[in-house]
Protein backbone atom coordinates (compact mmCIF):
# COMPACT_ATOMS: atom_id res chain seq x y z
CA UNK A 1 0.00 0.00 0.00
CA UNK A 2 1.13 3.52 -0.76
CA UNK A 3 1.23 6.10 1.99
CA UNK A 4 -1.05 9.10 1.69
CA UNK A 5 0.88 12.29 1.04
CA UNK A 6 -2.07 14.71 0.72
CA UNK A 7 -4.47 15.41 3.58
CA UNK A 8 -7.72 16.50 1.94
CA UNK A 9 -8.97 18.22 5.10
CA UNK A 10 -8.79 21.99 4.64
CA UNK A 11 -7.80 21.74 0.97
CA UNK A 12 -8.95 23.82 -2.01
CA UNK A 13 -10.12 21.40 -4.67
CA UNK A 14 -11.09 22.21 -8.24
CA UNK A 15 -13.54 19.74 -9.79
CA UNK A 16 -14.30 20.21 -13.48
CA UNK A 17 -17.49 18.57 -14.71
CA UNK A 18 -18.89 19.12 -11.19
CA UNK A 19 -22.51 18.89 -12.37
CA UNK A 20 -21.76 15.65 -14.17
CA UNK A 21 -22.62 12.18 -12.91
CA UNK A 22 -19.26 11.32 -11.36
CA UNK A 23 -18.30 14.93 -10.55
CA UNK A 24 -21.40 15.67 -8.46
CA UNK A 25 -21.08 12.40 -6.57
CA UNK A 26 -17.44 13.18 -5.90
CA UNK A 27 -18.20 16.68 -4.55
CA UNK A 28 -20.87 15.27 -2.22
CA UNK A 29 -18.54 12.57 -0.91
CA UNK A 30 -15.75 15.10 -0.29
CA UNK A 31 -18.08 17.38 1.69
CA UNK A 32 -19.41 14.45 3.71
CA UNK A 33 -16.02 12.97 4.57
CA UNK A 34 -13.60 15.87 5.02
CA UNK A 35 -13.43 18.98 7.18
CA UNK A 36 -13.06 22.57 5.93
CA UNK A 37 -12.78 21.52 2.36
CA UNK A 38 -13.37 24.24 -0.25
CA UNK A 39 -14.52 23.03 -3.66
CA UNK A 40 -14.68 25.07 -6.84
CA UNK A 41 -16.77 23.43 -9.56
CA UNK A 42 -16.69 24.25 -13.25
CA UNK A 43 -19.25 22.88 -15.69
CA UNK A 44 -20.63 24.27 -18.95
CA UNK A 45 -24.00 22.56 -18.31
CA UNK A 46 -24.25 21.53 -21.96
CA UNK A 47 -27.36 19.79 -23.26
CA UNK A 48 -25.74 16.59 -24.52
CA UNK A 49 -28.27 15.08 -22.13
CA UNK A 50 -31.09 16.68 -20.12
CA UNK A 51 -29.49 19.59 -18.17
CA UNK A 52 -32.26 19.30 -15.55
CA UNK A 53 -30.40 16.32 -14.10
CA UNK A 54 -27.24 18.43 -13.95
CA UNK A 55 -29.09 21.26 -12.17
CA UNK A 56 -30.60 18.81 -9.70
CA UNK A 57 -27.20 17.30 -8.98
CA UNK A 58 -25.80 20.80 -8.33
CA UNK A 59 -28.68 21.54 -5.96
CA UNK A 60 -27.83 18.39 -3.99
CA UNK A 61 -24.25 19.63 -3.61
CA UNK A 62 -25.42 23.08 -2.44
CA UNK A 63 -27.87 21.42 -0.02
CA UNK A 64 -24.96 19.90 1.89
CA UNK A 65 -24.05 23.46 2.92
CA UNK A 66 -20.31 23.08 2.29
CA UNK A 67 -17.99 25.74 0.95
CA UNK A 68 -18.86 25.35 -2.74
CA UNK A 69 -18.24 27.86 -5.52
CA UNK A 70 -19.35 27.23 -9.06
CA UNK A 71 -18.59 28.71 -12.49
CA UNK A 72 -20.79 27.88 -15.44
CA UNK A 73 -18.36 27.83 -18.31
CA UNK A 74 -16.11 25.73 -20.49
CA UNK A 75 -12.65 24.45 -19.71
CA UNK A 76 -11.96 25.21 -23.39
CA UNK A 77 -12.20 28.89 -22.37
CA UNK A 78 -8.60 29.62 -21.45
CA UNK A 79 -9.37 32.95 -19.78
CA UNK A 80 -11.96 31.37 -17.53
CA UNK A 81 -9.65 28.52 -16.54
CA UNK A 82 -6.76 30.90 -15.85
CA UNK A 83 -8.88 33.26 -13.79
CA UNK A 84 -10.24 30.39 -11.67
CA UNK A 85 -6.71 29.13 -11.03
CA UNK A 86 -5.43 32.63 -10.20
CA UNK A 87 -8.24 33.43 -7.77
CA UNK A 88 -8.96 30.03 -6.26
CA UNK A 89 -5.40 28.63 -6.21
CA UNK A 90 -6.43 24.96 -6.25
CA UNK A 91 -4.24 22.48 -4.39
CA UNK A 92 -5.83 19.39 -5.92
CA UNK A 93 -7.44 19.38 -9.38
CA UNK A 94 -9.84 16.67 -10.56
CA UNK A 95 -10.61 16.97 -14.26
CA UNK A 96 -13.83 15.16 -15.08
CA UNK A 97 -15.25 17.63 -17.63
CA UNK A 98 -15.33 16.00 -21.04
CA UNK A 99 -17.54 15.24 -23.94
CA UNK A 100 -18.39 11.64 -23.11
CA UNK A 101 -19.96 8.93 -25.24
CA UNK A 102 -18.57 6.75 -27.99
CA UNK A 103 -21.39 6.88 -30.53
CA UNK A 104 -21.92 10.66 -30.34
CA UNK A 105 -18.28 11.20 -31.36
CA UNK A 106 -19.03 9.79 -34.79
CA UNK A 107 -21.48 12.63 -35.57
CA UNK A 108 -20.01 15.40 -33.40
CA UNK A 109 -16.21 15.27 -33.46
CA UNK A 110 -15.80 19.01 -32.75
CA UNK A 111 -17.20 18.69 -29.23
CA UNK A 112 -14.54 16.09 -28.37
CA UNK A 113 -11.61 18.09 -29.66
CA UNK A 114 -12.84 21.21 -27.89
CA UNK A 115 -13.59 19.78 -24.44
CA UNK A 116 -11.29 16.79 -24.24
CA UNK A 117 -8.22 18.12 -26.03
CA UNK A 118 -8.26 21.95 -25.83
CA UNK A 119 -10.02 21.90 -22.45
CA UNK A 120 -7.55 19.42 -20.97
CA UNK A 121 -4.61 21.35 -22.43
CA UNK A 122 -5.89 24.51 -20.68
CA UNK A 123 -6.04 22.63 -17.38
CA UNK A 124 -2.48 21.37 -17.84
CA UNK A 125 -1.21 24.85 -18.70
CA UNK A 126 -2.96 26.33 -15.68
CA UNK A 127 -1.46 23.62 -13.44
CA UNK A 128 1.96 24.41 -14.88
CA UNK A 129 1.58 28.14 -14.17
CA UNK A 130 0.23 27.44 -10.68
CA UNK A 131 3.87 26.94 -9.67
CA UNK A 132 4.70 30.52 -10.76
CA UNK A 133 2.18 31.72 -8.17
CA UNK A 134 4.58 30.53 -5.46
CA UNK A 135 6.73 33.60 -6.03
CA UNK A 136 3.83 35.94 -5.14
CA UNK A 137 2.13 33.85 -2.46
CA UNK A 138 4.43 31.89 -0.18
CA UNK A 139 1.47 29.95 1.25
CA UNK A 140 0.57 28.44 -2.12
CA UNK A 141 2.74 25.61 -3.39
CA UNK A 142 0.84 25.20 -6.67
CA UNK A 143 -1.13 22.12 -7.71
CA UNK A 144 -0.10 19.13 -5.57
CA UNK A 145 -1.94 16.56 -7.66
CA UNK A 146 -3.86 16.52 -10.93
CA UNK A 147 -6.30 13.60 -11.17
CA UNK A 148 -8.12 13.23 -14.49
CA UNK A 149 -10.65 10.91 -16.10
CA UNK A 150 -9.44 8.58 -18.79
CA UNK A 151 -11.53 5.66 -19.96
CA UNK A 152 -11.62 1.91 -20.53
CA UNK A 153 -12.23 2.80 -24.18
CA UNK A 154 -8.48 3.41 -24.60
CA UNK A 155 -8.10 -0.38 -24.77
CA UNK A 156 -9.87 -0.25 -28.13
CA UNK A 157 -9.63 -3.49 -30.00
CA UNK A 158 -7.18 -5.11 -27.55
CA UNK A 159 -7.71 -8.84 -27.57
CA UNK A 160 -6.02 -9.66 -24.28
CA UNK A 161 -8.26 -9.63 -21.21
CA UNK A 162 -8.43 -8.51 -18.49
CA UNK A 163 -7.21 -5.10 -19.61
CA UNK A 164 -4.09 -4.10 -17.74
CA UNK A 165 -2.49 -0.67 -17.46
CA UNK A 166 0.67 -2.43 -18.69
CA UNK A 167 -1.00 -3.21 -22.05
CA UNK A 168 -0.08 -1.23 -25.13
CA UNK A 169 -3.04 0.97 -25.99
CA UNK A 170 -2.43 2.28 -29.47
CA UNK A 171 -5.58 0.97 -31.12
CA UNK A 172 -8.43 3.38 -30.33
CA UNK A 173 -11.61 2.57 -32.24
CA UNK A 174 -13.42 5.86 -31.58
CA UNK A 175 -12.46 9.53 -31.49
CA UNK A 176 -13.60 9.59 -27.85
CA UNK A 177 -11.04 6.89 -27.03
CA UNK A 178 -8.34 8.72 -28.99
CA UNK A 179 -8.96 11.93 -26.98
CA UNK A 180 -8.75 10.04 -23.69
CA UNK A 181 -5.50 8.34 -24.68
CA UNK A 182 -4.22 11.78 -25.77
CA UNK A 183 -4.99 13.09 -22.27
CA UNK A 184 -2.70 10.45 -20.82
CA UNK A 185 0.07 11.37 -23.27
CA UNK A 186 -0.31 15.11 -22.64
CA UNK A 187 -0.31 14.54 -18.87
CA UNK A 188 2.85 12.46 -19.17
CA UNK A 189 4.71 15.17 -21.06
CA UNK A 190 3.55 17.90 -18.62
CA UNK A 191 4.55 15.74 -15.65
CA UNK A 192 7.97 15.21 -17.18
CA UNK A 193 8.52 18.82 -18.27
CA UNK A 194 6.99 20.74 -15.37
CA UNK A 195 6.82 18.23 -12.53
CA UNK A 196 3.01 18.18 -12.30
CA UNK A 197 2.14 15.02 -10.32
CA UNK A 198 -0.70 13.46 -12.30
CA UNK A 199 -2.87 10.36 -12.13
CA UNK A 200 -5.16 9.21 -14.94
CA UNK A 201 -8.11 6.96 -14.12
CA UNK A 202 -9.54 4.62 -16.69
CA UNK A 203 -13.15 4.25 -15.60
CA UNK A 204 -15.15 1.22 -16.74
CA UNK A 205 -18.89 1.71 -17.58
CA UNK A 206 -20.11 3.67 -14.59
CA UNK A 207 -23.77 3.41 -13.54
CA UNK A 208 -26.01 4.44 -10.67
CA UNK A 209 -28.75 6.81 -9.48
CA UNK A 210 -28.95 10.14 -11.35
CA UNK A 211 -26.58 8.66 -13.91
CA UNK A 212 -26.19 9.57 -17.55
CA UNK A 213 -29.34 9.23 -19.66
CA UNK A 214 -27.20 8.54 -22.74
CA UNK A 215 -25.92 5.27 -21.29
CA UNK A 216 -27.49 1.92 -22.15
CA UNK A 217 -29.05 1.00 -18.79
CA UNK A 218 -30.74 4.43 -18.57
CA UNK A 219 -31.84 4.46 -22.23
CA UNK A 220 -33.19 0.89 -21.93
CA UNK A 221 -35.22 1.94 -18.90
CA UNK A 222 -36.70 4.97 -20.70
CA UNK A 223 -37.62 2.84 -23.69
CA UNK A 224 -39.18 0.03 -21.66
CA UNK A 225 -41.24 2.55 -19.69
CA UNK A 226 -42.49 4.05 -22.98
CA UNK A 227 -43.31 0.62 -24.37
CA UNK A 228 -40.60 0.89 -27.05
CA UNK A 229 -38.21 -1.85 -28.16
CA UNK A 230 -34.65 -1.89 -26.80
CA UNK A 231 -31.79 -2.77 -29.12
CA UNK A 232 -29.26 -5.20 -27.73
CA UNK A 233 -26.07 -4.87 -29.74
CA UNK A 234 -23.88 -7.65 -31.08
CA UNK A 235 -26.90 -9.96 -30.54
CA UNK A 236 -26.20 -9.78 -26.79
CA UNK A 237 -22.66 -11.13 -27.13
CA UNK A 238 -21.15 -8.18 -25.31
CA UNK A 239 -19.67 -8.10 -21.85
CA UNK A 240 -19.18 -4.99 -19.77
CA UNK A 241 -17.43 -4.40 -16.49
CA UNK A 242 -20.28 -2.35 -14.98
CA UNK A 243 -18.98 -0.27 -12.10
CA UNK A 244 -21.17 1.35 -9.46
CA UNK A 245 -20.66 5.09 -9.07
CA UNK A 246 -19.94 4.94 -5.31
CA UNK A 247 -17.03 2.57 -6.04
CA UNK A 248 -15.69 4.97 -8.66
CA UNK A 249 -15.92 7.88 -6.23
CA UNK A 250 -14.17 5.88 -3.49
CA UNK A 251 -11.43 5.10 -5.97
CA UNK A 252 -11.04 8.74 -7.00
CA UNK A 253 -10.90 9.91 -3.37
CA UNK A 254 -8.26 7.27 -2.51
CA UNK A 255 -6.17 8.29 -5.49
CA UNK A 256 -6.47 12.04 -4.81
CA UNK A 257 -4.59 11.54 -1.53
CA UNK A 258 -1.52 9.96 -3.12
CA UNK A 259 0.36 12.18 -5.55
CA UNK A 260 2.72 9.93 -7.50
CA UNK A 261 6.42 10.02 -6.69
CA UNK A 262 8.95 10.15 -9.50
CA UNK A 263 9.11 6.87 -11.38
CA UNK A 264 12.26 5.34 -12.87
CA UNK A 265 12.04 7.84 -15.75
CA UNK A 266 11.85 10.80 -13.39
CA UNK A 267 8.15 11.39 -14.04
CA UNK A 268 5.45 11.84 -11.39
CA UNK A 269 2.84 10.00 -13.41
CA UNK A 270 0.44 7.10 -12.87
CA UNK A 271 -2.52 5.52 -14.60
CA UNK A 272 -5.00 3.10 -12.98
CA UNK A 273 -8.00 1.09 -14.08
CA UNK A 274 -11.11 1.46 -11.91
CA UNK A 275 -13.58 -1.24 -12.87
CA UNK A 276 -15.60 -3.97 -11.26
CA UNK A 277 -13.26 -6.73 -12.42
CA UNK A 278 -16.30 -8.91 -13.12
CA UNK A 279 -17.72 -8.45 -16.63
CA UNK A 280 -21.39 -9.27 -17.16
CA UNK A 281 -23.05 -10.40 -20.37
CA UNK A 282 -25.40 -7.75 -21.75
CA UNK A 283 -28.40 -10.14 -21.78
CA UNK A 284 -27.86 -11.04 -18.11
CA UNK A 285 -27.47 -7.36 -17.32
CA UNK A 286 -30.75 -6.52 -19.01
CA UNK A 287 -32.45 -9.38 -17.19
CA UNK A 288 -31.36 -8.10 -13.77
CA UNK A 289 -32.29 -4.54 -14.77
CA UNK A 290 -35.78 -5.65 -15.76
CA UNK A 291 -36.28 -7.54 -12.48
CA UNK A 292 -35.19 -4.54 -10.44
CA UNK A 293 -37.38 -2.16 -12.46
CA UNK A 294 -40.35 -4.39 -11.69
CA UNK A 295 -39.43 -4.60 -7.97
CA UNK A 296 -39.15 -0.81 -7.76
CA UNK A 297 -42.55 -0.38 -9.44
CA UNK A 298 -41.10 1.31 -12.54
CA UNK A 299 -42.53 -1.48 -14.73
CA UNK A 300 -45.68 -3.53 -14.02
CA UNK A 301 -45.37 -7.13 -12.71
CA UNK A 302 -46.70 -8.60 -15.97
CA UNK A 303 -44.46 -6.58 -18.32
CA UNK A 304 -43.98 -8.46 -21.59
CA UNK A 305 -40.25 -8.07 -21.71
CA UNK A 306 -39.54 -10.51 -24.54
CA UNK A 307 -41.57 -8.50 -27.06
CA UNK A 308 -39.60 -5.34 -26.22
CA UNK A 309 -36.19 -6.84 -26.92
CA UNK A 310 -34.44 -6.72 -30.30
CA UNK A 311 -31.07 -8.35 -30.95
CA UNK A 312 -29.06 -6.29 -33.46
CA UNK A 313 -25.48 -6.23 -34.89
CA UNK A 314 -22.50 -4.40 -33.38
CA UNK A 315 -22.29 -0.58 -33.66
CA UNK A 316 -19.21 1.17 -35.05
CA UNK A 317 -16.85 2.24 -32.26
CA UNK A 318 -18.12 -0.39 -29.82
CA UNK A 319 -16.01 -3.20 -28.39
CA UNK A 320 -17.11 -6.72 -27.43
CA UNK A 321 -15.79 -6.81 -23.92
CA UNK A 322 -14.45 -4.52 -21.23
CA UNK A 323 -12.75 -6.18 -18.26
CA UNK A 324 -10.54 -4.32 -15.81
CA UNK A 325 -7.43 -5.72 -14.22
CA UNK A 326 -7.43 -3.76 -10.96
CA UNK A 327 -4.38 -5.37 -9.34
CA UNK A 328 -2.42 -2.07 -9.37
CA UNK A 329 -5.29 -0.29 -7.61
CA UNK A 330 -5.49 -3.08 -5.04
CA UNK A 331 -1.75 -3.13 -4.42
CA UNK A 332 -1.40 0.63 -4.08
CA UNK A 333 -4.65 1.45 -2.24
CA UNK A 334 -5.96 -1.85 -0.83
CA UNK A 335 -9.20 -1.08 -2.67
CA UNK A 336 -11.26 -2.46 -5.51
CA UNK A 337 -14.87 -1.86 -6.54
CA UNK A 338 -17.18 -4.34 -4.87
CA UNK A 339 -20.84 -3.33 -5.28
CA UNK A 340 -22.79 -6.26 -6.76
CA UNK A 341 -24.61 -5.40 -9.99
CA UNK A 342 -28.04 -6.25 -8.59
CA UNK A 343 -27.54 -3.95 -5.63
CA UNK A 344 -26.37 -1.09 -7.86
CA UNK A 345 -29.24 -1.51 -10.30
CA UNK A 346 -31.68 -1.66 -7.37
CA UNK A 347 -30.48 1.79 -6.26
CA UNK A 348 -30.81 3.08 -9.81
CA UNK A 349 -34.35 1.66 -10.18
CA UNK A 350 -35.46 3.21 -6.86
CA UNK A 351 -34.03 6.58 -7.88
CA UNK A 352 -35.72 6.37 -11.31
CA UNK A 353 -39.08 5.60 -9.71
CA UNK A 354 -38.81 8.64 -7.42
CA UNK A 355 -37.46 10.98 -10.08
CA UNK A 356 -39.71 10.16 -13.03
CA UNK A 357 -42.72 8.07 -12.05
N1 LIG B 1 -19.60 7.33 -16.91
C1 LIG B 1 -18.77 6.45 -17.48
O1 LIG B 1 -19.12 5.28 -17.70
C2 LIG B 1 -17.38 6.87 -17.85
C3 LIG B 1 -16.51 5.87 -18.32
C4 LIG B 1 -15.22 6.23 -18.68
C5 LIG B 1 -14.80 7.54 -18.55
N2 LIG B 1 -15.67 8.50 -18.11
C6 LIG B 1 -15.18 9.87 -18.00
O2 LIG B 1 -15.41 10.35 -16.70
C7 LIG B 1 -15.70 11.75 -16.73
C8 LIG B 1 -17.02 12.04 -16.06
O3 LIG B 1 -18.02 11.29 -16.74
P1 LIG B 1 -19.55 11.34 -16.37
O4 LIG B 1 -20.10 9.99 -16.61
O5 LIG B 1 -19.73 12.00 -15.04
O6 LIG B 1 -20.07 12.27 -17.54
P2 LIG B 1 -21.02 13.54 -17.52
O7 LIG B 1 -21.28 13.89 -18.94
O8 LIG B 1 -22.19 13.30 -16.63
O9 LIG B 1 -20.10 14.63 -16.83
C9 LIG B 1 -19.23 15.47 -17.55
C10 LIG B 1 -19.62 16.90 -17.20
O10 LIG B 1 -18.70 17.76 -17.86
C11 LIG B 1 -19.42 18.85 -18.41
N3 LIG B 1 -18.63 19.34 -19.54
C12 LIG B 1 -18.50 18.79 -20.77
N4 LIG B 1 -17.69 19.53 -21.53
C13 LIG B 1 -17.28 20.57 -20.75
C14 LIG B 1 -16.44 21.68 -20.95
N5 LIG B 1 -15.84 21.90 -22.13
N6 LIG B 1 -16.24 22.54 -19.94
C15 LIG B 1 -16.86 22.37 -18.74
N7 LIG B 1 -17.69 21.34 -18.50
C16 LIG B 1 -17.88 20.45 -19.48
C17 LIG B 1 -20.76 18.33 -18.79
O11 LIG B 1 -21.75 19.35 -18.78
C18 LIG B 1 -21.02 17.27 -17.70
O12 LIG B 1 -21.79 17.81 -16.64
C19 LIG B 1 -15.64 12.15 -18.20
O13 LIG B 1 -14.35 12.64 -18.47
C20 LIG B 1 -15.87 10.84 -18.94
O14 LIG B 1 -15.29 10.87 -20.21
C21 LIG B 1 -16.94 8.18 -17.73
Amino acid sequence: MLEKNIDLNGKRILVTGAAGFIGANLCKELFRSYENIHIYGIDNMNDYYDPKIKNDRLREIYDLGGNFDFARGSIADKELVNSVFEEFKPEVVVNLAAQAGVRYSIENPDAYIESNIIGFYNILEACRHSYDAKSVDEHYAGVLHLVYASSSSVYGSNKKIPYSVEDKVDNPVSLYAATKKSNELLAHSYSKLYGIPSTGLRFFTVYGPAGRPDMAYFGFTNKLVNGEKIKIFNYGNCKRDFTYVDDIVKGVVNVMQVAPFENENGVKYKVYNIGNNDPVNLLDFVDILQQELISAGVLPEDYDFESHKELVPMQPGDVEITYADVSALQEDFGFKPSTPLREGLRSFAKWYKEYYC
Side-chain angles (χ1 to χ4, degrees):
M1 287 250 294
L2 296 175
E3 246 179 68
K4 293 178 181 164
N5 52 17
I6 296 178
D7 177 5
L8 294 178
N9 291 297
K11 287 285 182 297
R12 287 185 305 276
I13 300 176
L14 175 66
V15 178
T16 75
F21 175 35
I22 299 171
N25 279 290
L26 174 66
C27 292
K28 287 192 293 184
E29 174 58 22
L30 289 171
F31 280 131
R32 284 191 205 109
S33 303
Y34 296 92
E35 303 280 325
N36 299 324
I37 213 160
H38 186 177
I39 300 179
Y40 198 112
I42 302 182
D43 200 299
N44 67 1
M45 308 296 281
N46 68 49
D47 62 359
Y48 165 63
Y49 61 78
D50 185 2
K52 179 180 181 303
I53 295 192
K54 297 183 184 182
N55 280 310
D56 290 342
R57 293 187 192 124
L58 277 183
R59 191 166 324 118
E60 285 193 2
I61 302 175
Y62 281 118
D63 283 351
L64 291 178
N67 197 353
F68 182 64
D69 289 314
F70 180 75
R72 181 181 175 150
S74 173
I75 56 166
D77 177 348
K78 200 178 186 103
E79 260 177 52
L80 170 75
V81 171
N82 288 345
S83 71
V84 169
F85 270 74
E86 274 157 30
E87 279 161 37
F88 183 62
K89 299 189 170 68
E91 293 162 297
V92 178
V93 175
V94 185
N95 188 63
L96 300 170
Q99 180 57 56
V102 166
R103 288 180 199 139
Y104 188 72
S105 66
I106 294 166
E107 301 294 326
N108 300 278
D110 289 4
Y112 291 77
I113 299 301
E114 184 171 316
S115 295
N116 304 9
I117 301 290
I118 298 173
F120 189 62
Y121 161 73
N122 288 339
I123 296 292
L124 287 170
E125 273 289 292
C127 288
R128 166 191 172 186
H129 290 297
S130 74
Y131 304 124
D132 307 340
K134 270 192 250 180
S135 52
V136 277
D137 179 354
E138 57 180 290
H139 300 295
Y140 181 49
V143 172
L144 304 171
H145 194 187
L146 165 66
V147 178
Y148 60 96
S150 182
S151 163
S152 61
S153 64
V154 300
Y155 292 104
S157 52
N158 269 26
K159 292 286 175 276
K160 179 193 144 286
I161 49 167
Y163 295 157
S164 157
V165 285
E166 308 296 330
D167 296 347
K168 207 164 159 23
V169 284
D170 290 330
N171 312 298
V173 293
S174 67
L175 179 64
Y176 171 66
T179 63
K180 289 294 180 181
K181 171 65 185 166
S182 306
N183 286 178
E184 295 179 2
L185 294 170
L186 291 169
H188 189 276
S189 64
Y190 269 71
S191 296
K192 174 74 186 169
L193 290 169
Y194 309 112
I196 304 168
S198 74
T199 306
L201 299 174
R202 295 178 181 167
F203 300 143
F204 283 64
T205 320
V206 191
Y207 73 99
R212 271 173 38 204
D214 62 311
M215 291 186 69
Y217 69 99
F218 206 129
F220 285 170
T221 305
N222 288 337
K223 284 208 157 87
L224 292 171
V225 167
N226 293 330
E228 294 165 33
K229 273 197 175 169
I230 60 171
K231 287 192 171 126
I232 300 181
F233 293 109
N234 205 27
Y235 307 102
N237 297 318
C238 267
K239 281 187 161 190
R240 288 284 175 276
D241 215 347
F242 295 101
T243 313
Y244 190 59
V245 66
D246 288 2
D247 288 330
I248 292 286
V249 166
K250 268 184 216 147
V252 176
V253 172
N254 276 325
V255 166
M256 285 168 73
Q257 297 169 79
V258 183
F261 291 103
E262 275 185 12
N263 64 19
E264 60 284 7
N265 301 317
V267 191
K268 296 173 182 169
Y269 171 86
K270 280 267 189 175
V271 171
Y272 293 97
N273 287 333
I274 307 190
N276 217 37
N277 185 234
D278 180 20
V280 177
N281 186 286
L282 205 51
L283 286 174
D284 296 334
F285 173 84
V286 165
D287 196 35
I288 298 174
L289 174 65
Q290 169 225 349
Q291 290 167 21
E292 293 306 325
L293 290 173
I294 290 173
S295 294
V298 175
L299 296 177
E301 293 276 345
D302 58 350
Y303 194 83
D304 178 8
F305 185 63
E306 286 310 310
S307 70
H308 290 94
K309 219 165 50 175
E310 190 182 353
L311 302 179
V312 297
M314 192 81 153
Q315 290 273 291
D318 269 356
V319 295
E320 271 177 34
I321 182 165
T322 65
Y323 182 1
D325 175 341
V326 289
S327 48
L329 195 71
Q330 272 181 294
E331 259 166 48
D332 289 356
F333 300 97
F335 163 82
K336 75 174 225 166
S338 58
T339 306
L341 183 61
R342 183 177 292 280
E343 207 178 286
L345 285 178
R346 185 164 299 158
S347 303
F348 166 72
K350 276 190 191 150
W351 169 82
Y352 191 97
K353 169 81 180 163
E354 259 177 45
Y355 198 76
Y356 289 113
C357 302

